[in-house]
Amino acid sequence: MDLHEYQAKELMRTAGVPIPPGRIARTAEEAEAIATEYGVPVMVKAQVHAGGRGKAGGVKYCKTAADAREKAQAILGMDIKGLTVEKVLVTEAADIASEAYVGIIVDRATKKAVFMVSAAGGIDIEEVAASTPEKILYLPVDPRYGLQSFEALRMGFFLYSDAKLARAAGKIMQQLYTAFVNAGCSLAEINPLVVTPNNELIAVDGKMVIDDNELDRRPDIAALRDESSEESSEVDARNANLTFIKLDGDVGCIVNGAGLAMATMDLVKHYGGDPANFLDIGGSSNPEKVVNALRIITSDPNVKCILFNIFGGITRTDDVANGIVTATKQNPLKVPIVIRLTGTNEEIAMKILQDNGFSASSDMDEAVQRAVALAKGGAA
Amino acid sequence: MSIFIDKNTTLIVQGITGRDGSFHAKQMMEYGTRVVGGVTPGKGGQKFEDSVPIFDTMHAAVAATGANTSVIYVPPPFAADAIMEAAAAGIKLIVCITEGVPVLDMTRVYPFVKEHGARLLGPNCPGLITPGESKVGIIPGRICTPGNVGIVSRSGTLTYEIVHQLTRAGIGQSSCVGIGGDPINGTNFIDCLAAFEADPNTRAIAMMGEIGGTDEQEAAQFIKDNMKKPVVGFIAGQTAPPGRRMGHAGAIISGSSGTAAEKIDAFKAAGMGVAQRPVDFVELISARLK
C-alpha cells in the first residue's frame, strides 16, 4: 500500500526525523490560510499516488499567500497520470544548500532491509546509480540487531565530511529505520535530505510503501489507506480479498494464482485477443470469492466474454463451481462464459456444472481460443 | 532418485486441524506420504483421522516421531513463528504453504533457519512432490507421473498446468518444486537447479519464472556456468502492464525493471530453450530427452 507524502512524513516525524511543518489543504482558501499561518515562502504539493509530480506541474514554489491560493487552485483537480488531485500539502519552503538521497528497501538478494545513501540526491538519483555507482553506499541491516550506531555514523560520514552534519545524518538514519520497521514498510525514502544554509538537516520529501501483509496487524497504518485515490473496481476487489488490475481489453479473466493468471493473459494475447483485466482469486477460495469476482468482471461494460481458468491445488474446484452457479442464479449473465477447470475435486466440480447447464473443458489452450473467438463475436 | 523428498520422508503437519491443513493432510496420506504427526497447540494427545498423533508443540512432535520434514498451513500472523519452531525442533526441510507472511518477518526467519542447518521452501508456495514416492504441500498428485524431468517454478497453479501438460504427453517428472513468489523465500531457483544437476534421475529441467526481480537472470547465469543438463524456461507476464514502481530504490538496487523481455534474453544467452506458451514445454522437453 502506497502512502501519501504527508502521511509518510507524519510517520517519520513521529520517529524524530526533522520535517518542515506542513498541513493538508482541500481548497485554495485553506492553502492560503496555511501559508499565512506558516509565513511564506511555501511549497504547494499535489498528494497523489504517482511519481513525477513535479514534472507534471503538481509541485509549486509560492512567494506569497495569495500565490499559494492561486497555485493550489491550479493543482487541485489536476489530472496526474490518470489520478485526480484532491488535496495538496502546504509546507514551509526550505533553502537548499545541498541534496542527499536516503532510502531503505527490503532487498531480495541479501534478504535484508538495505540502506542506500548518496550525496547526489534529487530527481536524477537513478541516473547516478546507473552511471556512477560508487556514489551510492549500500548497507544491509541485520534484522536481529537492528541498525547499529556505527553503521548509521558510517552512512553519515559517507554523505557529509562535516562531523556535526554526519552525526545529525546518522541520527536521522536511525529514526528512519525505526519508522520503517514500526510501519511495516517495504520501502521508505527521504529524497532529498537537505542541508540548509544554516547547516541544518531536514527531510524535504518522504515516501513510504507498506507491505500489504502487515496491514492486518497494524490497524492504525491500514486506516491511512486513501480509497479515493484508487480505481474503484480495484478497491472493490481488494475488499473482497481478490487481486484485480483493470486493463483495456474485452476478455474478462478469472484465474487462480498470479502466475497462471499472467500466463492466461499472455495466451489470450497470443491467440489474438485482449484481456480486460488481471484477476487472481487466490488460494483457499470459497464460493463467495467467485461470486464477488463475477460481479466485478461483469460490471465492466467492455467485457464481451468471461474466461475462467482454474487449476485446483489448495483451491477446490468444487468451491469455484458452486460460486459460478450461485452467482449466475443471482445475476444471470449477459455475455458468454468459458470455463476451464481441473485439479482438486475436479469430478465433483464437473458434475455441479453439468447439473446446472454449464459445460467445462480441462484444456487451457482450447478454452482461451474459444473465449477469444466469442469476444470477437464469432461462434465457439 | 529425486531432490529434497522421497519415500523415506517423514512428515509433521503444522496446523493439521485447520480447514486447509486437515484437507491436505488427508490428500498427502492418500498419496502415500508418511505423515507421522501433526501439531495444533491445545489438541495434543488427540488423533487425526484415528491414526496420526497430534502434539501441542513441534518439540514434542519431533521427539516422539523423529520426523525430518514439516509442512506449515497456519495463518499468516503465526507462520514466521511456526517456521522457527520447526527449525529449532531439528526439522531439516520446512515447507511453508502459508500466503501473506510479512516480509520483515522473513528477514528474521531466514538467518534463523540457516543457522539451524535447515532448508526452508516457501513461504507462499505449493510445496513439492516426488511422483510415486512422496508429496509435501498442495500439488495435486494425480497430475504427476514418475519420470526424468525436474520442475522448478515460482508459481503454484502455473506449475500444475505445465506438469499436467507434460504428464498428458507421457513425460514424467523426477521432482516438482514450487519455490513460491514472495520477495524473500528460503529456496531459490539456483538451489533447485544445482540439486537437479546432481540428481542422477533428472535428465532435463523445466523452469517457470515470472516478471519482477532478477532471480531468473541469476539462474540463467548459473545454468550457463555450471550445468550440463538442458533447461527449458518460461516467463509469465509477457503482456502484463508495467507494475507500480517501488520508488527509486527498487530500480537502484536491482539495476533492472525485471521485464519478461530481459529475462527471456537472459535465457537465450544461457543457451536455454524458451517456451512461449505453457504447451510448448512438451515439444521442447521431448527434444531434449532424445
Side-chain angles (χ1 to χ4, degrees), chain A residues 101 105 108 111 116 125-126 138 143-144 187 189 207 211 213-214 217 234 247 256 259-260 266-267 269-271 284 311-314 316 319 340 344 346 363-365, chain B residues 19-20 23-24 100-103 105 107 110 115 138 140 142 157-158 160-161 164 168 183 185 210 236-239 241 244-250 252-253 277:
Chain A
Y101 171 87
I105 191 168
R108 288 165 174 262
K111 303 185 196 294
M116 283 174 278
I125 183 67
E126 283 167 52
Y138 298 85
R144 294 165 299 178
L187 169 87
E189 275 181 346
K207 180 179 174 64
D211 177 1
N213 294 339
E214 295 273 4
R217 64 184 181 190
E234 291 180 18
L247 302 169
N256 66 322
L260 188 61
D266 292 349
L267 209 55
K269 280 251 186 189
H270 181 85
Y271 287 116
S284 199
F311 209 120
I314 203 160
R316 304 183 197 171
D319 282 347
R340 183 289 171 115
T344 306
E346 176 180 334
D363 186 280
M364 175 165 164
D365 281 68
Chain B
R19 184 187 195 258
D20 294 327
F23 179 82
H24 288 285
V101 183
V103 69
D105 285 3
T107 62
Y110 185 81
E115 279 163 15
I138 62 175
R142 52 184 281 279
T157 48
L158 177 60
Y160 313 159
E161 182 64 51
H164 176 67
R168 279 204 312 193
N185 53 20
E210 292 177 5
Q238 299 178 43
T239 59
R244 284 180 200 133
R245 282 158 36 97
M246 286 283 281
H248 295 287
I252 295 172
I253 200 145
R277 300 173 297 163

Coordinates of all heavy atoms in Angstrom, one line a residue, chain A residues 101 105 108 111 116 125-126 138 143-144 187 189 207 211 213-214 217 234 247 256 259-260 266-267 269-271 284 311-314 316 319 340 344 346 363-365, chain B residues 19-20 23-24 100-103 105 107 110 115 138 140 142 157-158 160-161 164 168 183 185 210 236-239 241 244-250 252-253 277:
Chain A
Y101 N 20.3 11.7 -0.9 CA 19.3 10.6 -1.1 C 19.4 9.6 0.0 O 20.6 9.2 0.3 CB 19.4 9.9 -2.4 CG 18.5 8.7 -2.5 CD1 17.1 8.9 -3.0 CD2 18.9 7.5 -2.2 CE1 16.3 7.7 -3.0 CE2 18.1 6.3 -2.3 CZ 16.8 6.5 -2.7 OH 16.0 5.4 -2.8
I105 N 15.1 -0.3 1.5 CA 14.2 -1.2 0.8 C 14.4 -2.6 1.3 O 15.6 -3.0 1.7 CB 14.4 -1.1 -0.7 CG1 13.3 -1.8 -1.5 CG2 15.7 -1.6 -1.2 CD1 13.2 -1.5 -3.0
R108 N 15.6 -8.5 -2.1 CA 15.5 -9.9 -2.4 C 16.9 -10.6 -2.3 O 17.0 -11.7 -1.8 CB 15.0 -10.2 -3.8 CG 13.6 -9.8 -4.0 CD 13.3 -9.8 -5.5 NE 11.9 -9.6 -5.8 CZ 11.0 -10.6 -6.1 NH1 11.5 -11.9 -6.2 NH2 9.8 -10.4 -6.3
K111 N 18.3 -10.5 1.3 CA 17.2 -10.9 2.2 C 17.2 -10.1 3.5 O 16.9 -10.6 4.6 CB 17.3 -12.4 2.5 CG 17.2 -13.3 1.2 CD 17.2 -14.7 1.5 CE 17.5 -15.6 0.3 NZ 16.6 -15.5 -0.8
M116 N 20.3 2.6 1.2 CA 21.1 3.2 0.1 C 21.2 4.7 0.3 O 20.1 5.3 0.5 CB 20.3 2.9 -1.2 CG 20.5 1.5 -1.7 SD 19.4 1.2 -3.1 CE 17.9 1.0 -2.3
I125 N 18.5 10.5 -9.2 CA 19.2 9.5 -8.4 C 19.4 8.2 -9.1 O 20.4 7.6 -9.0 CB 18.6 9.3 -7.0 CG1 19.4 8.4 -6.1 CG2 17.1 8.9 -7.1 CD1 20.7 8.9 -5.7
E126 N 18.4 7.8 -10.0 CA 18.6 6.6 -10.7 C 19.7 6.6 -11.7 O 20.4 5.7 -11.9 CB 17.3 6.2 -11.4 CG 16.3 5.6 -10.4 CD 14.9 5.5 -11.0 OE1 14.7 5.0 -12.1 OE2 13.9 6.0 -10.4
Y138 N 25.7 1.1 -0.1 CA 24.7 0.1 0.3 C 25.0 -0.4 1.6 O 26.2 -0.8 1.9 CB 24.7 -1.0 -0.8 CG 24.3 -0.5 -2.1 CD1 25.3 0.0 -3.0 CD2 23.0 -0.6 -2.6 CE1 24.9 0.4 -4.3 CE2 22.6 -0.2 -3.9 CZ 23.6 0.3 -4.7 OH 23.3 0.7 -6.0
P143 N 18.5 -7.8 10.8 CA 17.2 -7.5 11.4 C 17.2 -8.0 12.9 O 16.4 -7.5 13.7 CB 16.2 -8.4 10.7 CG 17.0 -9.5 10.0 CD 18.3 -8.9 9.7
R144 N 18.1 -8.9 13.3 CA 18.1 -9.3 14.6 C 18.8 -8.3 15.6 O 18.5 -8.3 16.8 CB 18.9 -10.7 14.7 CG 18.1 -11.8 14.0 CD 19.0 -13.0 13.8 NE 20.2 -12.6 12.9 CZ 21.1 -13.5 12.6 NH1 21.0 -14.7 13.1 NH2 22.1 -13.1 11.9
L187 N 9.4 -0.2 1.7 CA 10.2 0.9 1.2 C 10.0 2.2 2.0 O 8.9 2.5 2.3 CB 9.8 1.2 -0.3 CG 10.5 2.5 -0.9 CD1 11.8 2.2 -1.5 CD2 9.6 3.1 -1.9
E189 N 11.8 6.3 1.8 CA 12.7 7.2 1.2 C 12.7 8.6 1.7 O 11.6 9.1 1.9 CB 12.5 7.2 -0.4 CG 13.1 6.1 -1.2 CD 12.8 6.3 -2.7 OE1 11.9 7.1 -3.1 OE2 13.4 5.7 -3.5
K207 N 8.7 9.3 1.3 CA 7.9 8.3 0.6 C 7.9 7.0 1.4 O 9.0 6.6 1.9 CB 8.4 8.1 -0.8 CG 7.6 7.1 -1.6 CD 8.2 6.9 -3.0 CE 7.5 5.8 -3.9 NZ 6.1 6.1 -4.1
D211 N 4.1 -2.9 3.3 CA 3.8 -4.3 2.9 C 2.4 -4.7 3.2 O 2.0 -4.6 4.4 CB 4.8 -5.2 3.7 CG 4.6 -6.7 3.5 OD1 3.7 -7.1 2.7 OD2 5.3 -7.5 4.1
N213 N 0.9 -7.3 3.6 CA 0.8 -8.4 4.6 C 0.9 -7.9 6.0 O 0.6 -8.7 6.9 CB 1.8 -9.5 4.3 CG 1.6 -10.2 3.0 OD1 0.5 -10.2 2.4 ND2 2.7 -10.8 2.5
E214 N 1.3 -6.7 6.2 CA 1.4 -6.1 7.6 C 0.1 -5.5 8.1 O 0.0 -5.2 9.2 CB 2.5 -5.0 7.6 CG 3.9 -5.5 7.3 CD 4.6 -6.0 8.5 OE1 4.0 -6.0 9.6 OE2 5.8 -6.3 8.4
R217 N -2.2 -6.6 11.1 CA -1.8 -6.4 12.5 C -1.4 -5.0 12.8 O -0.9 -4.7 13.9 CB -0.6 -7.4 12.8 CG 0.7 -7.1 12.0 CD 1.8 -8.1 12.3 NE 3.0 -7.9 11.6 CZ 4.0 -8.8 11.5 NH1 3.9 -9.9 12.2 NH2 5.1 -8.5 10.9
E234 N -10.8 -1.7 -8.3 CA -9.7 -2.3 -7.6 C -9.9 -2.3 -6.1 O -9.6 -3.2 -5.4 CB -8.4 -1.6 -8.0 CG -8.0 -1.9 -9.5 CD -6.7 -1.3 -9.9 OE1 -5.9 -0.9 -9.1 OE2 -6.5 -1.2 -11.2
L247 N -7.7 -3.7 -17.1 CA -7.0 -3.4 -18.4 C -8.0 -3.0 -19.4 O -9.2 -2.8 -19.1 CB -6.2 -4.7 -18.8 CG -5.2 -5.2 -17.8 CD1 -4.7 -6.6 -18.2 CD2 -4.0 -4.3 -17.7
N256 N -7.0 -18.6 -10.9 CA -6.4 -18.7 -9.5 C -4.9 -18.8 -9.6 O -4.4 -19.6 -10.3 CB -7.0 -19.9 -8.8 CG -6.7 -21.2 -9.4 OD1 -6.6 -21.3 -10.6 ND2 -6.4 -22.2 -8.6
G259 N 0.7 -16.4 -11.3 CA 1.5 -16.9 -12.4 C 0.6 -17.4 -13.5 O 0.8 -17.1 -14.7
L260 N -0.4 -18.2 -13.1 CA -1.3 -18.8 -14.1 C -2.2 -17.6 -14.7 O -2.5 -17.7 -15.9 CB -2.2 -19.9 -13.5 CG -3.1 -20.6 -14.5 CD1 -2.3 -21.4 -15.5 CD2 -4.0 -21.6 -13.8
D266 N -1.3 -13.8 -21.2 CA -0.3 -13.9 -22.3 C -0.9 -14.8 -23.4 O -0.7 -14.5 -24.6 CB 1.0 -14.6 -21.8 CG 1.8 -13.7 -20.9 OD1 1.5 -12.5 -20.7 OD2 2.7 -14.3 -20.2
L267 N -1.6 -15.8 -23.1 CA -2.2 -16.7 -24.1 C -3.4 -16.1 -24.8 O -3.6 -16.3 -26.0 CB -2.6 -18.0 -23.4 CG -2.6 -19.3 -24.2 CD1 -1.2 -19.5 -24.8 CD2 -3.0 -20.5 -23.4
K269 N -3.6 -13.0 -25.5 CA -2.9 -12.1 -26.5 C -2.3 -12.9 -27.6 O -2.4 -12.6 -28.8 CB -1.7 -11.3 -25.8 CG -2.2 -10.1 -25.1 CD -1.8 -8.8 -25.8 CE -2.1 -7.7 -24.9 NZ -2.0 -6.4 -25.5
H270 N -1.7 -14.1 -27.2 CA -1.1 -15.0 -28.2 C -2.1 -15.4 -29.3 O -1.8 -15.5 -30.5 CB -0.6 -16.2 -27.5 CG 0.1 -17.2 -28.4 ND1 1.4 -17.1 -28.8 CD2 -0.4 -18.3 -29.1 CE1 1.7 -18.1 -29.6 NE2 0.6 -18.8 -29.8
Y271 N -3.4 -15.6 -28.9 CA -4.4 -16.1 -29.8 C -5.2 -14.9 -30.4 O -6.3 -15.0 -30.9 CB -5.4 -17.1 -29.2 CG -4.7 -18.4 -29.0 CD1 -4.4 -19.0 -27.7 CD2 -4.3 -19.2 -30.1 CE1 -3.8 -20.2 -27.6 CE2 -3.6 -20.4 -29.9 CZ -3.4 -20.9 -28.7 OH -2.8 -22.1 -28.5
S284 N -7.1 -21.2 -1.5 CA -8.0 -21.4 -0.4 C -9.3 -20.6 -0.6 O -9.9 -19.9 0.2 CB -7.4 -20.8 0.9 OG -8.1 -21.4 2.0
F311 N -7.0 -24.0 -11.9 CA -6.3 -25.2 -11.7 C -6.2 -25.4 -10.3 O -5.5 -24.8 -9.5 CB -4.9 -25.2 -12.4 CG -4.4 -26.5 -12.8 CD1 -4.1 -26.8 -14.2 CD2 -4.3 -27.6 -11.9 CE1 -3.7 -28.0 -14.6 CE2 -3.9 -28.8 -12.3 CZ -3.6 -29.0 -13.7
G312 N -6.9 -26.4 -9.7 CA -7.1 -26.6 -8.3 C -5.9 -27.2 -7.6 O -5.5 -28.3 -8.0
G313 N -5.4 -26.5 -6.6 CA -4.4 -27.2 -5.7 C -5.0 -27.0 -4.4 O -5.8 -27.8 -3.9
I314 N -4.7 -25.8 -3.7 CA -5.4 -25.5 -2.4 C -6.8 -25.0 -2.7 O -7.7 -25.1 -2.0 CB -4.5 -24.5 -1.6 CG1 -4.9 -24.6 -0.1 CG2 -4.7 -23.1 -2.2 CD1 -3.8 -24.0 0.8
R316 N -10.2 -25.5 -4.2 CA -11.0 -26.6 -4.5 C -11.9 -26.2 -5.7 O -12.7 -25.3 -5.6 CB -11.9 -27.1 -3.3 CG -11.0 -27.4 -2.1 CD -11.8 -27.9 -1.0 NE -11.1 -27.8 0.2 CZ -11.6 -28.0 1.4 NH1 -12.9 -28.3 1.5 NH2 -10.9 -27.9 2.5
D319 N -15.6 -25.6 -5.0 CA -15.9 -24.3 -4.5 C -16.2 -23.3 -5.6 O -17.1 -22.5 -5.6 CB -14.8 -23.8 -3.6 CG -14.8 -24.4 -2.2 OD1 -15.8 -25.1 -1.8 OD2 -13.7 -24.2 -1.5
R340 N -12.8 -23.3 -17.8 CA -11.7 -24.3 -17.9 C -11.4 -24.6 -16.4 O -11.0 -23.7 -15.7 CB -10.5 -23.8 -18.6 CG -9.4 -24.8 -18.8 CD -8.6 -25.1 -17.5 NE -7.7 -26.1 -17.7 CZ -6.4 -26.0 -17.6 NH1 -5.9 -24.8 -17.3 NH2 -5.6 -27.0 -17.8
T344 N -7.9 -30.3 -7.9 CA -8.6 -30.8 -6.7 C -10.1 -30.8 -6.8 O -10.7 -29.8 -7.1 CB -8.1 -30.0 -5.5 OG1 -6.7 -29.9 -5.5 CG2 -8.7 -30.5 -4.2
E346 N -12.0 -32.1 -9.0 CA -12.5 -31.8 -10.4 C -13.8 -32.6 -10.7 O -14.7 -32.0 -11.4 CB -11.4 -32.2 -11.4 CG -11.7 -32.1 -12.8 CD -10.5 -32.5 -13.7 OE1 -9.4 -32.4 -13.3 OE2 -10.8 -32.9 -14.9
D363 N -8.8 -28.2 -21.0 CA -7.7 -27.8 -21.7 C -7.6 -26.3 -21.8 O -8.5 -25.6 -22.3 CB -7.8 -28.4 -23.2 CG -6.5 -28.2 -24.0 OD1 -6.4 -27.0 -24.5 OD2 -5.6 -29.0 -24.0
M364 N -6.4 -25.8 -21.4 CA -6.2 -24.3 -21.3 C -6.2 -23.6 -22.7 O -6.9 -22.7 -22.9 CB -5.0 -24.0 -20.6 CG -4.5 -22.6 -20.5 SD -3.3 -22.4 -19.2 CE -2.6 -20.8 -19.6
D365 N -5.4 -24.2 -23.6 CA -5.3 -23.5 -25.0 C -6.7 -23.5 -25.7 O -7.1 -22.5 -26.2 CB -4.3 -24.3 -25.8 CG -2.9 -23.9 -25.5 OD1 -2.5 -24.3 -24.3 OD2 -2.2 -23.2 -26.3
Chain B
R19 N -8.8 -25.9 8.4 CA -9.5 -26.2 7.2 C -8.6 -26.7 6.1 O -8.8 -27.8 5.6 CB -10.3 -25.0 6.7 CG -11.2 -25.3 5.5 CD -11.8 -24.0 4.9 NE -12.9 -24.2 4.0 CZ -12.8 -24.2 2.7 NH1 -11.6 -23.9 2.1 NH2 -13.8 -24.4 1.9
D20 N -7.6 -25.9 5.8 CA -6.6 -26.4 4.7 C -5.7 -27.5 5.2 O -5.4 -28.4 4.5 CB -5.8 -25.2 4.3 CG -6.7 -24.1 3.6 OD1 -7.7 -24.5 2.9 OD2 -6.4 -22.9 3.7
F23 N -7.5 -30.9 5.3 CA -7.8 -31.4 3.9 C -6.6 -31.9 3.2 O -6.6 -33.0 2.7 CB -8.4 -30.2 3.1 CG -8.8 -30.6 1.7 CD1 -10.0 -31.2 1.4 CD2 -7.9 -30.3 0.6 CE1 -10.3 -31.6 0.1 CE2 -8.2 -30.6 -0.7 CZ -9.4 -31.3 -1.0
H24 N -5.5 -31.1 3.3 CA -4.3 -31.5 2.5 C -3.5 -32.6 3.3 O -2.8 -33.4 2.6 CB -3.5 -30.3 2.2 CG -4.1 -29.5 1.1 ND1 -4.1 -29.9 -0.2 CD2 -4.8 -28.3 1.2 CE1 -4.8 -29.0 -0.9 NE2 -5.3 -28.0 -0.1
G100 N 0.9 -14.7 2.5 CA 0.7 -13.4 3.3 C 1.6 -13.2 4.5 O 1.2 -12.5 5.4
V101 N 2.7 -13.9 4.5 CA 3.7 -13.7 5.6 C 4.4 -12.3 5.4 O 4.9 -12.1 4.3 CB 4.7 -14.8 5.6 CG1 5.6 -14.6 6.8 CG2 4.0 -16.2 5.7
P102 N 4.3 -11.4 6.4 CA 5.0 -10.2 6.3 C 6.5 -10.3 5.9 O 7.2 -11.2 6.5 CB 4.8 -9.5 7.6 CG 3.6 -10.1 8.2 CD 3.6 -11.5 7.7
V103 N 7.0 -9.5 5.0 CA 8.4 -9.8 4.5 C 9.4 -9.4 5.6 O 10.5 -10.0 5.7 CB 8.6 -9.0 3.2 CG1 8.6 -7.5 3.4 CG2 9.9 -9.4 2.5
D105 N 9.1 -10.1 8.7 CA 9.2 -11.4 9.5 C 10.2 -12.3 8.8 O 11.0 -13.0 9.5 CB 7.8 -12.1 9.5 CG 6.8 -11.4 10.5 OD1 7.2 -10.4 11.1 OD2 5.7 -12.0 10.6
T107 N 12.8 -11.6 7.0 CA 14.2 -11.2 7.2 C 14.8 -11.8 8.5 O 16.0 -12.0 8.5 CB 14.4 -9.6 7.2 OG1 13.7 -9.1 8.3 CG2 13.9 -9.0 5.9
Y110 N 14.8 -16.0 7.9 CA 15.8 -16.6 7.0 C 17.1 -17.0 7.7 O 17.6 -18.1 7.6 CB 16.0 -15.7 5.8 CG 16.9 -16.3 4.8 CD1 16.4 -17.2 3.8 CD2 18.2 -16.0 4.7 CE1 17.2 -17.8 2.9 CE2 19.1 -16.5 3.8 CZ 18.6 -17.4 2.9 OH 19.4 -18.0 1.9
E115 N 21.0 -20.9 10.3 CA 21.8 -21.2 11.5 C 21.4 -22.6 12.1 O 22.3 -23.2 12.7 CB 21.7 -20.1 12.6 CG 22.5 -18.9 12.3 CD 22.2 -17.7 13.1 OE1 21.4 -17.9 14.1 OE2 22.6 -16.6 12.7
I138 N 0.6 -29.0 -1.5 CA -0.7 -29.0 -2.1 C -0.7 -29.3 -3.6 O -1.8 -29.2 -4.3 CB -1.4 -27.6 -1.9 CG1 -0.6 -26.5 -2.6 CG2 -1.5 -27.3 -0.4 CD1 -1.3 -25.1 -2.5
P140 N -1.5 -31.2 -6.7 CA -2.4 -32.3 -6.9 C -1.6 -33.5 -7.4 O -1.0 -33.5 -8.5 CB -3.4 -31.9 -8.0 CG -3.3 -30.4 -8.0 CD -1.9 -30.1 -7.6
R142 N -2.5 -36.4 -8.7 CA -2.9 -37.1 -9.9 C -2.4 -36.5 -11.2 O -2.4 -37.2 -12.2 CB -4.4 -37.2 -9.9 CG -5.1 -35.8 -9.8 CD -6.6 -36.0 -9.7 NE -7.1 -36.1 -11.1 CZ -7.3 -35.1 -11.9 NH1 -7.1 -33.9 -11.5 NH2 -7.8 -35.3 -13.1
T157 N -0.1 -22.5 -9.4 CA -1.0 -23.1 -10.4 C -0.4 -23.2 -11.8 O -0.7 -24.2 -12.5 CB -2.3 -22.3 -10.5 OG1 -2.0 -20.9 -10.6 CG2 -3.2 -22.5 -9.2
L158 N 0.5 -22.3 -12.1 CA 1.1 -22.4 -13.4 C 2.0 -23.7 -13.5 O 2.1 -24.3 -14.5 CB 2.0 -21.2 -13.7 CG 2.8 -21.1 -15.0 CD1 1.9 -21.2 -16.2 CD2 3.6 -19.9 -15.1
Y160 N 1.2 -26.5 -11.9 CA 0.3 -27.6 -12.2 C 0.0 -27.7 -13.7 O -0.1 -28.8 -14.2 CB -1.0 -27.5 -11.4 CG -0.9 -27.1 -10.0 CD1 -2.0 -26.5 -9.3 CD2 0.3 -27.3 -9.2 CE1 -1.9 -26.1 -8.0 CE2 0.3 -26.9 -7.9 CZ -0.7 -26.3 -7.3 OH -0.7 -25.9 -6.0
E161 N -0.2 -26.6 -14.2 CA -0.6 -26.5 -15.7 C 0.4 -27.2 -16.5 O 0.1 -28.1 -17.3 CB -0.7 -25.0 -16.1 CG -1.1 -24.8 -17.5 CD -2.6 -25.3 -17.7 OE1 -3.5 -25.0 -16.9 OE2 -2.7 -26.1 -18.7
H164 N 0.9 -31.0 -15.7 CA -0.3 -31.6 -16.3 C -0.1 -31.9 -17.8 O -0.4 -33.0 -18.3 CB -1.5 -30.7 -16.0 CG -2.8 -31.2 -16.6 ND1 -3.4 -32.3 -16.2 CD2 -3.6 -30.6 -17.6 CE1 -4.6 -32.4 -16.8 NE2 -4.7 -31.4 -17.7
R168 N 0.3 -35.5 -19.6 CA -0.6 -36.0 -20.7 C 0.1 -36.4 -21.9 O -0.3 -37.2 -22.7 CB -1.6 -34.8 -21.0 CG -2.7 -34.7 -20.1 CD -3.9 -34.0 -20.8 NE -3.5 -32.8 -21.4 CZ -4.3 -31.9 -21.9 NH1 -5.6 -32.0 -21.7 NH2 -3.9 -30.8 -22.5
P183 N 9.0 -12.1 -2.0 CA 10.4 -11.4 -2.2 C 11.5 -12.2 -1.4 O 12.6 -12.2 -1.9 CB 10.2 -10.0 -1.6 CG 8.7 -9.8 -1.6 CD 8.1 -11.1 -1.5
N185 N 12.3 -15.8 0.0 CA 12.0 -17.2 0.2 C 13.2 -18.0 0.6 O 14.3 -17.6 0.4 CB 11.2 -17.7 -1.0 CG 12.0 -17.5 -2.3 OD1 13.2 -17.3 -2.3 ND2 11.3 -17.6 -3.4
E210 N 8.6 -15.6 -13.5 CA 7.6 -14.6 -13.6 C 8.4 -13.2 -13.8 O 9.5 -13.1 -13.5 CB 6.7 -14.4 -12.4 CG 5.8 -15.6 -12.2 CD 5.0 -15.5 -10.9 OE1 5.1 -14.5 -10.2 OE2 4.3 -16.5 -10.5
A236 N 6.1 -15.9 -17.2 CA 4.7 -15.5 -17.2 C 4.7 -14.0 -17.0 O 5.5 -13.4 -16.3 CB 4.0 -16.1 -16.0
G237 N 3.8 -13.3 -17.7 CA 3.6 -11.9 -17.6 C 4.2 -11.1 -18.8 O 4.5 -9.9 -18.6
Q238 N 4.4 -11.8 -19.9 CA 4.9 -11.1 -21.1 C 4.0 -10.0 -21.5 O 4.5 -9.0 -22.1 CB 5.1 -12.1 -22.2 CG 6.0 -13.2 -21.9 CD 6.2 -14.3 -23.0 OE1 6.3 -13.9 -24.1 NE2 6.2 -15.5 -22.6
T239 N 2.7 -10.0 -21.3 CA 1.8 -9.0 -21.7 C 1.3 -8.2 -20.5 O 0.4 -7.3 -20.7 CB 0.6 -9.6 -22.5 OG1 -0.1 -10.5 -21.6 CG2 1.0 -10.3 -23.7
P241 N 0.9 -5.3 -17.8 CA 1.2 -3.9 -17.8 C 2.3 -3.7 -16.8 O 2.4 -4.4 -15.8 CB -0.1 -3.2 -17.4 CG -0.8 -4.2 -16.6 CD -0.4 -5.6 -17.2
R244 N 3.5 -1.2 -10.6 CA 3.8 0.1 -9.9 C 5.2 0.1 -9.5 O 5.7 -0.9 -8.9 CB 2.8 0.3 -8.7 CG 1.5 0.7 -9.2 CD 0.5 0.8 -8.1 NE -0.8 0.8 -8.6 CZ -1.8 0.1 -8.1 NH1 -1.6 -0.6 -7.0 NH2 -3.0 0.0 -8.7
R245 N 5.9 1.2 -9.7 CA 7.3 1.2 -9.3 C 7.5 1.3 -7.8 O 6.7 2.0 -7.2 CB 8.0 2.4 -10.0 CG 8.3 2.2 -11.5 CD 8.4 3.6 -12.1 NE 9.0 4.5 -11.2 CZ 10.3 4.8 -11.2 NH1 11.1 4.2 -12.0 NH2 10.7 5.8 -10.4
M246 N 8.5 0.7 -7.3 CA 8.8 0.8 -5.9 C 9.8 2.0 -5.7 O 10.9 1.8 -5.4 CB 9.5 -0.5 -5.4 CG 8.5 -1.6 -5.3 SD 7.5 -1.5 -3.8 CE 8.7 -2.0 -2.6
G247 N 9.3 3.2 -5.8 CA 10.1 4.4 -5.6 C 11.4 4.3 -6.5 O 11.4 3.7 -7.6
H248 N 12.4 5.0 -6.1 CA 13.7 5.0 -6.8 C 14.4 3.7 -6.4 O 15.2 3.1 -7.1 CB 14.5 6.2 -6.5 CG 13.9 7.5 -7.1 ND1 13.9 7.8 -8.4 CD2 13.3 8.5 -6.4 CE1 13.3 9.0 -8.6 NE2 13.0 9.4 -7.4
A249 N 14.2 3.4 -5.1 CA 15.1 2.3 -4.5 C 15.0 1.0 -5.2 O 16.0 0.3 -5.4 CB 14.7 2.2 -3.0
G250 N 13.8 0.6 -5.7 CA 13.6 -0.7 -6.4 C 14.5 -0.7 -7.6 O 15.2 -1.7 -7.9
I252 N 17.1 1.2 -8.3 CA 18.6 1.3 -8.0 C 19.1 0.0 -7.6 O 20.2 -0.4 -8.0 CB 18.8 2.4 -6.8 CG1 18.3 3.8 -7.3 CG2 20.2 2.4 -6.4 CD1 18.3 4.8 -6.2
I253 N 18.4 -0.7 -6.7 CA 19.0 -1.9 -6.1 C 19.1 -3.1 -7.1 O 20.1 -3.8 -7.1 CB 18.3 -2.3 -4.8 CG1 19.2 -3.2 -4.0 CG2 17.0 -3.0 -5.1 CD1 19.1 -3.1 -2.5
R277 N 4.5 -20.6 -24.9 CA 3.2 -20.9 -24.2 C 3.5 -22.1 -23.3 O 4.5 -22.9 -23.6 CB 2.2 -21.4 -25.3 CG 1.8 -20.4 -26.3 CD 1.0 -21.0 -27.4 NE 1.7 -22.1 -28.1 CZ 1.1 -23.1 -28.9 NH1 -0.2 -23.1 -29.0 NH2 1.8 -24.0 -29.4

